């Protein structure tokens, strides 16, 4: 993450990742930072983050950046920030790019003054910081960055020095609340996390089999309750039979798909994950009406995702036949590698509940994480169909993972009651039905 490595990243740090007010060194709290074990990242200099995201600015940063000693020849933009919904952001050009991105696709501020001069959100991307247990913070890399998605470059745990430097500039919350932990002790949280990791890493399971088993495991554990789970000796002895029973029950689940109403409800949910309202440079009434009309068309089974963002394939959705399993050939297991990495990083860093997921409790966040599977599957099918293929490949899954990770726990649209209801609706017995409708294999 040296200036040489990262001339052009920008974007956002989420979480309690608010910029910390300057504090004297003796007031800075010591904290333990857990960094995702297996993720890699070295900037590819693609400039994608500088073209897509609104970059949040703190008031003192605006003053600092406004005072930079540019030369006349630099032709630096003077009017570089804009207020949206009460927050300050870097101004963007009509094509969506940050005003500091130069013709060569490089951040002109970085080129002229170096990496450390840039806004905190630019320096922080693609890292996502989240407070977990009291005094602890976890850090993973967002998979909407192409370098992270491709697992390209240096292990991020080897970038600890840079990550710690960033963390010192942030202010974190107090960590998981008792309500969020649902009575689970720390070792129970970690035991459940490790079991889920075991399922994610089990390459004898198909992607469908993995998703079904993860969801069934989360539901069974939630039903067992914290008192039972916190009894470590009992859990150790019963876990093998619990897992064997779950596998048998899944093998016996009747093959019943969703009805037409439930499929429309799923499309509504999928649409929320694909919307990129925050990236729309045209916020006029006409554009908003156009997007509202497109949402209605997608829920009805038609429409085109491209209306919601340039990253989406330009394809009439009915051509993707997402609910027509006979059209789709089984994908090879390796195609799902990026999705397994996505789950693994979120589990490793416990970034699926609490501050990482709208303040949700452990089991709600865990099930919401596993519910990303049908969303990624649909996105991957749409991309494959846009290239006239009937088999999902690794690139299709990567597109799906980037699209869903961009939003999961981050979209304001999903934090309200309606979002909670959609999750609950599909995380019960409808989850196997949903996968059956999509063509479980
Ligand atoms: S999107 Fe990722 S790889 Fe591309 S410039 Fe930004 S940080 Fe670098």
């Amino acid at each position: 993450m040296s200036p040489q490595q990262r001339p052009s990243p920008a974007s956002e740090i989420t979480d309690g990742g608010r910029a910390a007010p300057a504090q004297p060194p003796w007031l800075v709290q010591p904290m333990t930072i857990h960094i995702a074990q297996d993720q890699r990242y070295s900037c590819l200099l693609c400039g994608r983050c500088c073209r897509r995201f609104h970059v949040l600015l703190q008031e003192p940063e605006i003053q600092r950046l406004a005072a930079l000693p540019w030369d006349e020849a630099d032709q630096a933009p003077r009017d570089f920030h804009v207020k949206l919904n009460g927050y300050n952001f870097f101004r963007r050009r009509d094509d969506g790019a940050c005003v500091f991105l130069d013709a060569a696709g490089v951040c002109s501020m970085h080129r002229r003054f170096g990496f450390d001069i840039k806004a905190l959100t630019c320096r922080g991307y693609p890292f996502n910081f989240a407070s977990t247990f009291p005094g602890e913070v976890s850090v993973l890399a967002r998979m909407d960055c192409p370098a992270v998605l491709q697992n390209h470059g240096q292990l991020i745990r080897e970038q600890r020095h840079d990550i710690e430097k960033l963390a010192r500039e942030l202010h974190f919350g107090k960590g998981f609340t008792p309500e969020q932990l649902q009575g689970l002790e720390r070792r129970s949280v970690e035991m459940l996390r490790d079991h889920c990791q075991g399922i994610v890493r089990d390459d004898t399971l198909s992607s469908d089999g993995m998703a079904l088993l993860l969801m069934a495991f989360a539901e069974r554990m939630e039903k067992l309750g914290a008192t039972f789970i916190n009894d470590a000796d009992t859990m150790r002895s019963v876990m093998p039979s619990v897992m064997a029973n779950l596998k048998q029950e899944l093998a016996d689940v009747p093959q019943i798909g969703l009805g037409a109403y439930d499929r429309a409800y799923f499309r509504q949910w999928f649409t929320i994950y694909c919307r990129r309202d925050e990236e729309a440079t045209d916020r006029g009434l006409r554009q908003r009406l156009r997007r509202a009309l497109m949402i209605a068309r997608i829920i009805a089974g038609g429409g085109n995702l491209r209306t919601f963002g340039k990253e989406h394939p330009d394809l009439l959705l009915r051509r993707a036949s997402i609910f027509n399993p006979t059209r789709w050939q089984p994908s090879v297991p390796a195609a799902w590698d990026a999705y397994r990495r996505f789950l693994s990083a979120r589990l490793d860093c416990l970034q699926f509940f609490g501050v990482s997921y709208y303040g949700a409790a452990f089991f709600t966040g865990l099930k919401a994480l596993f519910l990303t599977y049908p969303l990624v599957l649909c996105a991957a099918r749409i991309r494959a169909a846009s290239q006239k293929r009937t088999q999902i490949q690794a690139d299709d899954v990567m597109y799906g993972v980037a699209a869903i990770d961009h939003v999961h726990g981050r979209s304001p649209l999903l934090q309200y009651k309606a979002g909670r209801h959609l999750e609950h609706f599909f995380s019960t017995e409808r989850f196997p039905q949903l996968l059956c409708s999509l063509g479980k294999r």
Side-chain angles (χ1 to χ4, degrees):
M1 214 171 66
S2 67
Q4 289 73 27
Q5 285 173 298
R6 303 187 66 212
S8 66
S11 173
E12 58 190 347
I13 297 176
T14 55
D15 169 21
R18 302 183 303 278
Q23 287 191 2
W26 61 86
L27 265 183
V28 176
Q29 303 283 322
M31 74 189 137
T32 306
I33 302 182
H34 173 80
I35 303 173
Q37 287 302 293
D38 301 325
Q39 283 193 300
R40 292 179 178 273
Y41 161 69
S42 294
C43 184
L44 293 164
L45 313 184
C46 67
R48 186 169 187 261
C49 50
C50 312
R51 292 190 175 87
R52 284 192 59 198
F53 299 130
H54 284 291
V55 177
L56 186 66
L57 291 170
Q58 305 294 332
E59 201 62 55
E61 270 184 329
I62 294 175
Q63 289 162 22
R64 178 174 66 78
L65 297 177
L68 287 176
W70 295 96
D71 292 334
E72 207 52 51
D74 292 323
Q75 297 184 323
R78 299 206 178 279
D79 184 15
F80 64 85
H81 59 101
V82 63
K83 212 162 196 142
L84 295 171
N85 302 327
Y87 294 97
N88 285 300
F89 298 91
F90 273 133
R91 190 179 287 285
R92 300 161 79 203
R93 297 193 296 256
D94 288 346
D95 63 357
C98 171
V99 286
F100 284 106
L101 197 66
D102 69 13
V106 173
C107 171
S108 52
M109 212 178 334
H110 185 140
R111 186 166 37 72
R112 178 76 170 75
F113 301 105
F115 177 80
D116 289 338
I117 212 76
K118 298 200 299 183
L120 178 59
T121 36
C122 300
R123 285 179 284 131
Y125 187 80
F127 297 121
N128 202 85
F129 293 73
S131 44
T132 53
F133 293 101
E136 295 182 31
V137 167
S138 74
V139 182
L140 55 69
R142 298 170 51 139
M143 293 186 73
D144 53 5
C145 160
V148 183
L149 190 63
Q150 293 163 27
N151 219 18
H152 163 84
Q154 189 184 16
L155 283 164
I156 67 167
R157 64 184 147 87
E158 291 172 359
Q159 302 174 40
R160 175 168 287 276
H161 174 77
D162 298 310
I163 287 172
E164 285 177 346
K165 200 167 151 202
L166 279 167
R168 282 196 289 276
E169 293 185 59
L170 295 166
H171 169 75
F172 297 100
K174 292 192 175 127
F176 301 134
T177 64
E179 293 75 29
Q180 288 164 355
L181 288 168
Q182 298 183 283
L184 294 168
E185 293 169 4
R186 180 186 185 135
R187 65 178 179 178
S188 303
V189 166
E190 290 170 348
M191 180 272 292
L192 295 177
R193 184 264 315 271
D194 293 345
H195 270 282
C196 292
Q197 285 281 35
I199 297 170
V200 171
R201 288 176 182 152
D202 183 349
D203 55 16
T204 64
L205 292 169
S206 67
S207 55
D208 285 333
M210 171 189 73
L212 283 166
L213 188 55
L214 285 167
M215 182 61 82
F217 179 75
E219 294 214 330
R220 183 62 46 89
M221 291 299 118
E222 187 175 24
K223 280 188 186 134
L224 283 184
T227 308
F228 195 99
I229 295 170
N230 287 339
D231 180 349
D233 291 338
T234 307
M235 281 305 287
R236 246 191 307 277
S237 65
V238 301
M239 196 57 97
S241 56
V242 167
M243 295 308 290
N245 289 345
L246 283 177
K247 285 181 184 169
Q248 188 55 50
E249 286 168 28
L250 286 173
D252 296 340
V253 166
Q255 298 295 300
I256 301 170
L258 295 178
Y261 171 80
D262 293 352
R263 291 202 300 267
Y265 207 37
F266 175 75
R267 284 192 292 267
Q268 179 185 351
W269 186 38
F270 179 64
T271 309
I272 295 176
Y273 267 86
C274 293
R275 284 171 65 174
R276 301 289 181 263
D277 298 3
E278 76 282 9
E279 292 176 22
T281 42
D282 183 349
R283 289 165 182 262
L285 183 63
R286 221 170 132 203
Q287 277 304 319
R288 277 189 280 160
L289 282 173
R290 191 168 156 245
R291 282 197 290 273
L293 186 64
M294 187 55 72
I295 291 166
R297 286 178 62 192
I298 292 173
I299 292 171
N304 185 331
L305 289 183
R306 177 56 71 85
T307 307
F308 300 136
K310 286 184 204 148
E311 76 192 62
H312 298 311
D314 188 5
L315 177 81
L316 289 173
L317 277 197
R318 65 188 152 73
R319 297 221 174 117
S321 311
I322 53 176
F323 282 118
N324 179 5
T326 55
R327 163 167 180 184
W328 293 97
Q329 299 167 37
S331 47
V332 296
W336 286 89
D337 180 57
Y339 182 65
R340 288 184 196 254
R341 283 192 280 115
F342 159 73
L343 289 182
S344 186
R346 290 274 188 154
L347 289 166
D348 177 9
C349 290
L350 297 176
Q351 287 200 17
F352 57 86
F353 73 112
V355 72
S356 302
Y357 196 74
Y358 312 120
F362 179 87
F363 285 111
T364 304
L366 191 64
K367 289 191 285 184
L369 179 65
F370 303 149
L371 278 164
T372 56
Y373 175 70
L375 298 167
V376 171
L377 176 62
C378 274
R381 279 189 178 171
I382 290 165
R383 186 179 182 277
S386 74
Q387 299 187 4
K388 301 193 177 3
R389 284 185 279 103
T390 56
Q391 186 186 43
I392 288 172
Q393 296 178 354
D395 282 355
D396 305 320
V397 175
M398 282 186 172
Y399 153 72
V401 168
I404 301 308
D405 189 38
H406 180 73
V407 174
H408 190 74
R410 301 186 173 107
S411 164
L413 292 170
L414 285 162
Q415 72 183 318
Y416 301 115
K417 230 176 165 181
R420 292 288 84 75
H421 184 260
L422 280 159
E423 280 158 21
H424 183 67
F425 190 81
F426 288 110
S427 62
T428 56
E429 74 278 1
R430 287 192 194 84
F431 189 70
Q433 291 176 8
L434 174 57
L435 291 206
C436 181
S437 288
L438 292 166
K440 177 173 81 71
R441 293 178 201 279

